[in-house]
Amino acid sequence: MNKLSNLFLILGVAVLVLTLVMSVAFLNTPVAVLAVSPEVSETATAFLDAVCAGDYAAAGQRLYGTPDLGLDQAPADDVAAILWDAFVESTDYTLEGEPYAANGGLCQNVVFTGMDLFAAADALGQGAQQLLPQYVEQATDLEAVYDEQNQYRQEFVRKVLQDAADTVTRDPAYQTSQTIQLTLLHRDGQWWVSPDAALLRAISGGISG
């Protein structure tokens, strides 16, 4: 099933890109705790709103060091795009409590919900393997299934993958909710969101961090 391998390879690109974010300088020097201003919640909200809208370019502008997350363009592969679009559409958040001093800055607890993209991609692969023999058996024209080398036609495999993806993305079982600690740093006269592994896992649907 080369097509399934290709799908996970495409999704793996997002893992690599998000992992690079962790190389951004993460200052550990303690700073004086500033009086909590509206800018703290505004920064957190602006970042999370951008993530939930799928605007990762804007979200990156709120991260300390303004790294390029590389996620502002949909995957070129249409099956991977089905999963990614479903993840973005599923995301939501709620700020929990008030900001508190921690991690050399201020932290805001956030309840973040969204599709577990890693689990969904795994389920897609399993689902496609189950659908494949069914679609072969139901086919009325085997020439639409096999090519001259008796291999599955690309269009046929693509249809199987798309249908498996559609099934997975409609399944509420892959919707998750987690509480993350959003760290905000005051640097250069403004507040920034500092990335960590838990945050990257949340905004990537579990494929990073």
Side-chain angles (χ1 to χ4, degrees), residues 89-205:
E89 185 176 349
S90 73
T91 56
D92 198 3
Y93 73 92
T94 302
L95 300 183
E96 192 174 63
E98 298 296 329
Y100 54 93
N103 300 337
L106 292 176
C107 290
Q108 172 68 63
N109 287 340
V110 178
V111 178
F112 189 88
T113 60
M115 188 176 72
D116 186 334
L117 190 55
F118 186 85
D122 184 58
L124 187 156
Q126 297 179 31
Q129 292 179 29
Q130 295 174 358
L131 286 178
L132 186 62
Q134 298 177 25
Y135 280 29
V136 171
E137 183 178 353
Q138 295 170 3
T140 57
D141 181 7
L142 291 182
E143 289 187 357
V145 177
Y146 301 104
D147 60 19
E148 293 75 9
Q149 286 74 45
N150 203 34
Q151 300 294 319
Y152 291 123
R153 291 189 180 278
Q154 181 177 354
E155 298 79 5
F156 177 75
V157 175
R158 177 66 52 186
K159 172 62 174 173
V160 172
L161 287 169
Q162 289 173 341
D163 288 355
D166 287 337
T167 298
V168 167
T169 56
R170 290 195 301 267
D171 191 339
Y174 300 105
Q175 187 79 357
T176 63
S177 180
Q178 58 187 305
T179 299
I180 59 176
Q181 186 186 62
L182 197 67
T183 300
L184 296 107
L185 304 174
H186 194 264
R187 300 289 188 271
D188 304 322
Q190 69 181 85
W191 287 97
W192 304 87
V193 174
S194 183
D196 60 26
L199 177 61
L200 295 180
R201 280 196 300 271
I203 68 173
S204 68

